[in-house]
Amino acid sequence: MKACADVKPNERLQHLIDSIRPTDPLAEERAWERLDSLTKPPRSLGRLEEIAAALARIQGTDHPSVDRRAIILMAGDHGVVAEGVSPYPQSVTWQMVANFAAGGAAINQIASSVGADLLLYDLGVVGDTSVLAGVNQAKVVGGTANMRHGPALTRDQAVEALLAGAQAATEAADGGVRLLGTGEMGIGNTTAAAALTAAYTRTPVERVVGPGTGLDHAGVAHKMAVVGDALSRNVTHDSDALDVLAALGGAEIAGLAGVMLGGAARGACVLVDGFISGAAALAAVALCPPCRHYLLASHRSMEPGHTVQLDHLGMMPVLDLDLRLGEGTGAALAMALVDAACRMLSGMATFQEAGVSGSESA
Amino acid sequence: MKACADVKPNERLQHLIDSIRPTDPLAEERAWERLDSLTKPPRSLGRLEEIAAALARIQGTDHPSVDRRAIILMAGDHGVVAEGVSPYPQSVTWQMVANFAAGGAAINQIASSVGADLLLYDLGVVGDTSVLAGVNQAKVVGGTANMRHGPALTRDQAVEALLAGAQAATEAADGGVRLLGTGEMGIGNTTAAAALTAAYTRTPVERVVGPGTGLDHAGVAHKMAVVGDALSRNVTHDSDALDVLAALGGAEIAGLAGVMLGGAARGACVLVDGFISGAAALAAVALCPPCRHYLLASHRSMEPGHTVQLDHLGMMPVLDLDLRLGEGTGAALAMALVDAACRMLSGMATFQEAGVSGSESA
């Protein structure tokens, strides 16, 4: 029985990965032709044109649209908080999920301001969130194990979290959502994200560990030591992408990697929020490299390891606003620009349609 | 008769300038106290918190809102195009106004995507725009004179354009608009903007002249010579802020300076678009320094002189997307972020309201 139950989720994960198709370079080419025919000097909308072309490539059309959009926010707790790596107590994770459910957090206001639905998922919170209205239950663990002393998750738990994330994304996409944003909540998760970043990008711990929600200099040094121990204890040269994800956690990060895989499988664009979501992107792309072309980086986080992630993935963020909150706030803000980019490409008139004279040097 | 007609607009301009009140530092202070009490690590929303605080200061409340917003787009032609400073023919100004009126331009799509009204004004277009639906008629001249050989506008025309812009802004504000964005159209207006920037910031021509809509290296060198001649011909040590604005034009730039003054007089925040709007901001602040605190820079344009303007005004743009189109596209994009910032400050729960534990180190 156990072996059979073990095999089935692994097969489902492999099937998910195999179902992700490459994006469409011909649609991108048609989009650039159209962009250059629209009533503006060529390339005068800079990065907005690049975003529009990326959406064309993802959606396979030179008239992309992202009318329906959603933030998928996943929460989970981290055993490593026992090491004193966060200035906030673990109970804040549950309390903030309650705050999201009640509409009082930053992401509630920002998602609403850009017309995005906010979909909440409990992947691994300590404590019962089923008493909170609107929190989808997908708990694979009630807080991860402390990665300083062993794997944060088992491989089975990591697979379960990946599949739960993929299901969240596919359900949203099947409901018409074309643009997903990732968000997270989990006290201690900048520690997990730093460890994942060091492991996936093979970067020294010193370059990927930062202050998180507000550690001082000594706190950051201690966090570096904890991350270093977790890597020595759990990651070897033979570790595969799934081993790394399980060993360092957390459940919400694995869930968000699943959101990226599930979104890519359905042809949705996924806006990656900040440092925690970036760690999930490293995992998703390590598990399935073609997933990369469905991802856009929303903003450059203040957390130093975020730039390491972006460089590794070859991503250029849309916004640079010194954000370091998470929750999907950067992804939600960037949605306004992605929507504007799509409407520009799809809705503008060409020089010919508008009867506007072109450049005399052209 | 003439003297009397002359005096009255000047008096109206002086009255407008005198009516602009300083913004409210106590409201900003209360906003920062509130920001630090909201359910997020302090200052973790970076620039978004600064924007929210700026709006609080402008609106005199720690619960600002920008539910109603509008782009005011002003068009005008420039006699200096006779010098061959643009790759596009002058007729494109009228044609693009027709395109705005028909909904086919970039600003139509982008303003719509952020829920902003688009208000069109003819301040100085060559040709009749009254045949186009929705174009407000405020023409002070049918194209400016060629500034290489003399003043682009008379002082009276500049005052008339300033007052027309102020009236456009006050009408919008009286209709409930709390956030204005500036946009413009005018073939040749990067040349006028470069000349204004050199004059107001006392910066060498070489640092403020750029490729505009697409000049090559030789074209930029020629444009520098034209701007240099215009400055030698029209601007002396004794020129006041209004002399400079009149001498270098154009009507749409003076109109936008008026939008900034009128918006400030009504307590509205004005998002300054790119390089042309930045030249208008230099004029508005030179005419009335307290106007500065009602202005926010929306984006950093690709045009080199834009950074000179921002440094002179002490402004830090919200976006950096390599835009160089104008029309108010950068201002419209930034509106989404200003709206999100206001909703965040006004709508989030405090730690106390949400029952969330604070930082243990706090």
Side-chain angles (χ1 to χ4, degrees), chain A residues 91-106:
Chain A
S91 55
V92 166
T93 304
W94 188 96
Q95 291 166 356
M96 281 301 297
V97 174
N99 196 23
F100 300 140

Side-chain angles (χ1 to χ4, degrees), chain B residues 55-308:
Chain B
L55 268 289
R57 186 177 174 122
I58 290 170
Q59 296 189 2
T61 168
D62 60 2
H63 283 67
S65 88
V66 292
D67 284 348
R68 294 213 48 196
R69 34 199 188 263
I71 298 289
I72 298 184
L73 192 165
M74 298 193 150
D77 273 305
H78 292 258
V80 73
V81 296
E83 305 295 333
V85 289
S86 173
Y88 290 86
Q90 188 170 59
S91 55
V92 166
T93 303
W94 188 97
Q95 291 166 357
M96 282 301 297
V97 175
N99 196 23
F100 300 140
I107 188 59
N108 298 98
Q109 297 301 319
I110 296 175
S112 155
S113 82
V114 299
D117 293 334
L118 178 61
L119 309 174
L120 304 174
Y121 284 83
D122 176 355
L123 270 280
V125 177
V126 170
D128 184 6
T129 63
S130 71
V131 298
L132 303 169
V135 180
N136 294 287
Q137 298 298 311
K139 206 190 286 272
V140 302
V141 69
T144 61
N146 182 348
M147 68 176 177
R148 197 176 199 180
H149 304 305
L153 296 169
T154 65
R155 275 178 68 103
D156 286 353
Q157 286 169 334
V159 171
E160 197 183 335
L162 282 161
L163 292 173
Q167 188 176 336
T170 52
E171 280 175 11
D174 292 347
V177 171
R178 310 298 302 274
L179 181 62
L180 289 165
T182 61
E184 43 55 51
M185 179 68 218
I187 296 300
N189 67 8
T190 62
T191 304
L196 289 164
T197 304
Y200 282 123
T201 70
R202 300 178 189 274
T203 300
V205 167
E206 293 69 27
R207 287 188 53 211
V208 299
V209 173
T213 52
L215 290 178
D216 61 12
H217 187 75
V220 172
H222 172 63
K223 188 168 158 184
M224 285 178 187
V226 171
V227 170
D229 289 351
L231 290 167
S232 310
R233 175 71 181 76
N234 293 301
V235 181
T236 72
H237 193 72
D238 293 334
S239 302
D240 68 12
L242 186 59
D243 287 329
V244 169
L245 180 61
L248 307 172
E252 84 283 25
I253 297 176
L256 290 179
V259 166
M260 296 173 199
L261 296 172
R266 282 295 194 277
C269 176
V270 183
L271 271 166
V272 182
D273 188 36
F275 182 55
I276 319 299
S277 291
L282 292 173
V285 173
L287 287 164
C288 176
C291 177
R292 163 66 187 84
H293 294 289
Y294 294 89
L295 308 181
L296 288 181
S298 58
H299 77 106
R300 186 179 296 278
S301 163
M302 287 291 275
E303 201 59 20
H306 192 225
T307 294
V308 173

